[in-house]
Amino acid sequence: MQNHPHHQDPAAGDDAQATIVRDPVCGMTVDLNAGKPSLDHAGRSFHFCNPKCRDKFAADPAAYLTAIDPVCGMAVDRASARHMAKYQGQRVYLCSSHCAERFNADPAAFLAGQAASQPAAVPAGTTWTCPMHPEIVRDEPGDCPICGMALEPMGLPPADAGPNPELVDMTRRFWVGLVFGLPVFVLAMGPHLGLDLLAGLGHTTGAWVQLALTTPVVVWAGWPLLKKGWASVVNRSPNMFTLIGIGILTAFLYSLVATLAPGLFPAGFRNAHGGVDLYYEPAAVITVLVLLGQVLELRARERTGGALRALLDLAPKHTLRVRRGQADEEIELSQVHTGDLLRVRPGENVPVDGLVVEGASSVDESLLTGEPVPVEKASGAKVTAGTLNGTGSFVMRAERVGAETVLSQIVAMVAEAQRSRAPIQSLADKVSAWFVPAVLLIAALAFIAWTTFGPAPSMTYGLIAAVAVLIIACPCALGLATPLSIMVATGRGAQSGILIRNAEALEHLAAVDTLVVDKTGTLTEGKPTLTDVVALGNLAESDVLAAVASLEAGSEHPLATAILSGAAARGVAALKTEGFQALTGRGIAGVVDGRQVLFGNARLMQERGVDCASVAARMDTLRQAGKTAMLAAIDGKLAGLVAVADPIKPKAREAIATLKSAGLRILMLTGDNEVTARAVADQLGIAEIQADVLPADKAAAVTRLKGEGRRVAMAGDGVNDAPALAAADVGIAMATGSDVAKESAGITLLKGDIAGIVRAHRLARITMANIKQNLLFAFLYNALGVPVAAGVLYPILGLLLSPMIAAAAMSLSSVSVIANALRLRTARLG
């Protein structure tokens, strides 16, 4: 029976006897004469089918008092509900037989809608903040006391979040308002369209019909708007909802009094037919149009939030946990713990961050790098949550799970940036603070001017002008100008590998004129590579490299990895080594394949009596090219030179040229020596460098530039760059660098390439241009619209805006700002 689309207890139907009630917990019918358990609550008696249901009710009565009809959205009293249905085990209460019939026709659709309207579950301890006023932080959802916007949860959005519940509610109210408001519009505007329905109904009957239709529009559909407007008055924070509420209530209450007591109005308020003009249609239509603007705004905000959910969806919902000696078990991602062994099959996304411990494959890491070329992964390689496995299969050990994964951190940074506010937004806030009182004053002056100097009926013209001013001046576009552009831009940046921590960083980056860059890891790869092997005498390069690489196999020096990797790439095999010695500050020594080998600097050679004067010029040439040159000796004789270098990143030269052409002054700061730093700078076309600097020196250099009036961006990747990153107007960290650097920066480049600065700089500039376009449009719109609504053009052109036209124009301005902000989604950053 429970799987049937509709099940209704006969005793609870329309012919149920008065002695039959419904158990509010389980929905079963209860005969009052059967002596079943009962309980009094809030002055009412509730009856239950068994003691268990009674105890559940007593523990939490509020949970069992009412239910929401999924068809119409009305609250239904569970204990007296005459219609109840069950579908796939879910109990549904309906307010009427009509709703029950509609539910029967397509229960799945209504239940899906009901689920979508419920707020998505958020983690315990979640706080809520306003997108426009981040200083507002609450422990529960609600509306911002400053602007009236719905508060949004901070932190990571739920991965399975459904549609925004506020959007669902506003959409429902919009459609209800439209259904009731459209007939009001037709009745009021019919005479202008050649369809005078009010003449047939008569003035009195027509007034009551309009009142009946307008009341649900204003009182129910427009309730959130009125509530926000009242809150702005109570909190002494005038905003757009202040004007909306005043405009709607002015038109509705005026018409209500004119309907109930028309005799109270003086002659100045009467029309040519002796009646009082009614303005139900502006009240209804304004409400519907503002609701439409709210729906459009919420949809735009949901679209930007969709980028976050799309990022979260890159991680699979389930994964395979490896159990030694047993079959793999499929578990939910939330059940993965650090240290678990997980199997990643071909074509699957990597579930968490970790290390490959078995198998090999190629992984698409475009999520991190933006590059479509897969990266080979073998045992010991790091893999990142959300990246896509290729055709191979491997087992990985989980190292970072949940909110600790790189993917979750990316989402958190984007979410934080989308909630942040740029300093330019303070301009809109300041304007709103004086704009609303100014509009109220203009509306009052317009009413007085029309009433005193206007044509008959002057009082009516005065009211029309005042209400039109209040409506057209609603600063919806002004309020949307900045936050929407910031939200869209941060989402666009995330798609291009640019993580923007806050809106302030974006604004500062657009204004910078000086870029300070670290060398190692920012301009260069940060990983030394074998570049040169020079053999002397009768030795071959492979002989020298084999001796050196065999000796380095026992070394912990940072350059050892570069030499060993270079030897492996050249196919040089390691030889037997004995008596290894690490000589601090000089080099290493040992016996390789029976021969005494030295490898290090000139000091080591001098100490061991090896003559190296013949290669001094060659070593200077290598150093001037930015390479580190080392000497090798075999059996007491100089055998050759080996050089390593930190290669410049592939796109660094082009990026520097582009940034210079954009007018930026480039300064390189590095802890490396002057010779190497100058070699790298010359290759990149950087004229200004400072070498051999300590972390404090980098921060001091940034502070000095700022003291000269420069607007400074600092790009770096190491712990030693963190002070300078924090001191700069905006810090830019490489995602391949240290966590400290990333925490100190306002912008992080996922690819770890300076070419990302070019994209970030362009994004910042076009975003600020977009915001300025929005603000300019909003300011001009209000500056032109308010005087027109007040009637300044009436003496010249005979033009006077009706409140309804003013509402449409106000909503159009918001739509224009939204459309302009959404253009950033397709902005070219290359």
Side-chain angles (χ1 to χ4, degrees), residues 524-549:
T524 65
E525 296 288 356
K527 296 179 180 180
T529 302
L530 179 65
T531 57
D532 298 88
V533 178
V534 178
L536 301 176
N538 297 324
L539 295 174
E541 290 184 1
S542 59
D543 296 333
V544 175
L545 184 56
V548 170

Side-chain angles (χ1 to χ4, degrees), residues 424 427-428 475-489 766-782 812-824:
I424 194 173
L427 175 62
C476 301
L478 195 62
L480 292 172
T482 299
L484 264 182
S485 294
I486 293 295
M487 292 172 71
V488 177
I766 62 176
T767 299
M768 297 315 299
N770 189 273
I771 291 173
K772 290 175 182 178
Q773 292 165 4
N774 289 346
L775 290 174
L776 178 62
F777 179 81
F779 280 128
L780 288 178
Y781 169 81
N782 284 293
L812 181 61
S813 70
S814 297
V815 172
S816 300
V817 167
I818 292 171
N820 190 48
L822 290 178
R823 289 193 306 112
L824 292 172

Side-chain angles (χ1 to χ4, degrees), residues 170-184 213 216-218 220-222 284-285 287-288 291:
M170 284 292 183
T171 303
R172 182 187 298 117
R173 292 178 186 273
F174 165 73
W175 286 111
V176 171
L178 182 63
V179 168
F180 284 93
L182 191 58
V184 178
L213 292 170
V217 178
V218 173
W220 186 81
V285 175
T287 300
V288 172
L291 286 171

Side-chain angles (χ1 to χ4, degrees), residues 543-574:
D543 296 333
V544 175
L545 184 56
V548 170
S550 300
L551 201 59
E552 287 285 15
S555 173
E556 296 180 356
H557 194 278
L559 299 182
T561 302
I563 294 174
L564 291 171
S565 298
R570 288 169 165 81
V572 176

Side-chain angles (χ1 to χ4, degrees), residues 13-88:
D14 294 338
D15 298 327
Q17 300 297 317
T19 58
I20 301 297
V21 295
R22 192 181 294 280
D23 184 327
V25 176
C26 67
M28 295 289 291
T29 54
V30 179
D31 189 339
L32 297 181
N33 298 321
K36 295 291 186 179
S38 63
L39 182 69
D40 291 337
H41 173 75
R44 289 182 59 188
S45 292
F46 295 89
H47 301 267
F48 309 90
C49 64
N50 60 58
K52 185 177 180 180
C53 285
R54 179 192 59 193
D55 294 343
K56 282 186 177 181
F57 181 88
D60 187 10
Y64 302 106
L65 291 176
T66 60
I68 301 299
D69 185 326
V71 177
C72 66
M74 291 184 62
V76 181
D77 185 275
R78 292 170 64 126
S80 60
R82 301 178 68 85
H83 301 273
M84 188 192 79
K86 290 181 180 179
Y87 178 72
Q88 295 184 347

